[in-house]
Amino acid sequence: MTALAAILARRIAAEGPMRLSDYMAECLLHPGHGYYATRDPFGAGGDFTTAPEISQMFGELLGLCLAQCWLDQGRPAPFALAEIGPGRGTLMADMLRAIRAVPGMAEAARVHLVEASPALRARQGQVLTAHAPHWHDGVESLPDLPLFLVANEFFDALPIRQFERRGPGWSERMVSLRDGRLAPGLGPVTAYPALAHRLADTAEGDVVETCPAAEPVAGEIGRRVAQRGGAALFVDYGGWRSLGDTFQAVKDHAPADPFADPGETDLTAHVDFEPIAGTIAAAGAAVTALTPQGVFLERLGIAARAAILARGLSGTALAAHLAAHRRLTHPDEMGQLFKVLAAYPQGKAPPPGLDPAG
């Protein structure tokens, strides 16, 4: 039993079963034993690899996508170039390198990072020291400037709640104790008004997931984009309208038991983009149609960029480069599972590679 498992077991013994969202929050962000609070989980030496770590092309193309939005909106200066959940700082570094090709943009950019992990803040500071980044605990403290923002694999790490359909009501999935160890369980059947609309498209035993923390973040970003201009790109794995159990753990690049080693494994769930899009629209910004990552990157010209970078490569270096291109775009890899949604000001052009919501 990990140190955090012992803490959570004592809490459950004293207070009763805990919501899955509370369990995830403790596992990921507990100040002394939380997964993100205590380590750098990225890359070959960590537990998982994100798109920016696979190839520089990902960050470059997202940077140029935002650059076109900046040009379309009259080159506002200064502006906030922000990332939420910036990992090692790799994506931001690649975006900054790409936008140097756009006259005046790098000079107008003020780099802002929303990051809760002290360990990752330290790593980001090393990578981005030349750009004097500013750190924030939440999007609410971002500066009152035009906002050009990226969130890559951010929403999937936010704590979720799970509800299992039982007749006309729902039983919330909880974390309890079984033989002294952490284990999943079910709460009492209750009518949840917030899920009343899901009674029409679910059946007995179906699981619906909600993410209470996602909508306030999306709403704040949508409000800022609507009022001050800019654009926000949300890239994550998931789909439209939650259905099914997607809660999962990863350790050493392989699936793991999410209840076995709390604090030692990454916990995530698929993102439900429907409420995120609705919240952005309610905040006054326009939203794009949900688009597969592979389609988005191909529209932005990743094939041409890959060909340029392949010049002069051979052997294992060329094979790795081609594999990275495939991994980012092919439907059997990240190309279909990962989706892109964007927020942009009403009346302005949507970010390139994406279509207005129908």
Side-chain angles (χ1 to χ4, degrees), residues 25-266:
E26 292 288 349
C27 289
L28 297 178
L29 295 174
H30 185 282
H33 304 289
Y35 181 77
Y36 285 112
T38 58
R39 75 200 67 215
D40 175 355
F42 301 96
D47 292 316
F48 58 88
T49 302
T50 60
E53 306 292 338
I54 293 170
S55 172
Q56 70 186 69
M57 296 184 292
F58 183 80
E60 290 172 346
L61 290 174
L62 265 62
L64 293 176
C65 177
L66 291 181
Q68 186 60 58
C69 295
W70 183 74
L71 293 171
D72 291 341
Q73 294 180 38
R75 305 170 184 256
F79 70 91
L81 181 63
E83 185 177 358
I84 52 177
R88 291 174 164 177
T90 305
L91 174 55
M92 179 59 74
D94 289 340
M95 290 197 299
L96 286 163
R97 185 178 62 255
I99 68 172
R100 286 204 300 266
V102 182
M105 187 174 184
E107 294 76 11
R110 305 292 182 266
V111 177
H112 292 266
L113 307 173
V114 178
E115 178 59 69
S117 166
L120 290 176
R121 282 192 181 195
R123 182 62 181 265
Q124 294 152 15
Q126 295 171 358
V127 173
L128 300 168
T129 183
H131 302 283
H134 299 270
W135 281 273
H136 304 263
D137 293 326
V139 294
E140 299 81 8
S141 63
L142 288 171
D144 190 21
L145 295 171
L147 177 63
F148 293 82
L149 177 144
V150 169
N152 178 62
E153 291 198 54
F154 169 77
F155 285 105
D156 66 79
L158 294 182
I160 63 161
R161 296 173 69 182
Q162 288 186 329
F163 298 89
E164 191 169 310
R165 174 77 182 273
R166 286 289 178 259
W170 303 88
S171 180
E172 183 164 9
R173 291 188 169 181
M174 311 289 283
V175 181
S176 57
L177 292 175
R178 186 181 304 146
D179 299 326
R181 304 190 67 84
L182 299 171
L186 286 173
V189 177
T190 309
Y192 286 91
L195 292 179
H197 66 293
R198 297 306 308 272
L199 294 175
D201 67 342
T202 55
E204 183 74 12
D206 281 349
V207 174
V208 170
E209 297 172 342
T210 67
C211 185
E215 292 178 42
V217 175
E220 179 66 14
I221 294 170
R223 182 188 67 80
R224 288 169 177 266
V225 169
Q227 294 180 359
R228 295 305 308 270
L233 301 174
F234 307 103
V235 187
D236 230 312
Y237 57 92
W240 193 265
R241 190 166 297 179
S242 164
L243 184 62
D245 180 358
T246 71
F247 180 52
Q248 58 192 308
V250 174
K251 186 176 179 64
D252 295 328
H253 300 269
D257 181 349
F259 304 103
D261 299 300
E264 299 293 327
T265 57
D266 182 40

Side-chain angles (χ1 to χ4, degrees), residues 1-15:
M1 181 176 286
T2 65
L4 183 57
I7 293 171
L8 297 178
R10 288 194 296 270
R11 174 176 166 183
I12 292 171
E15 302 175 5

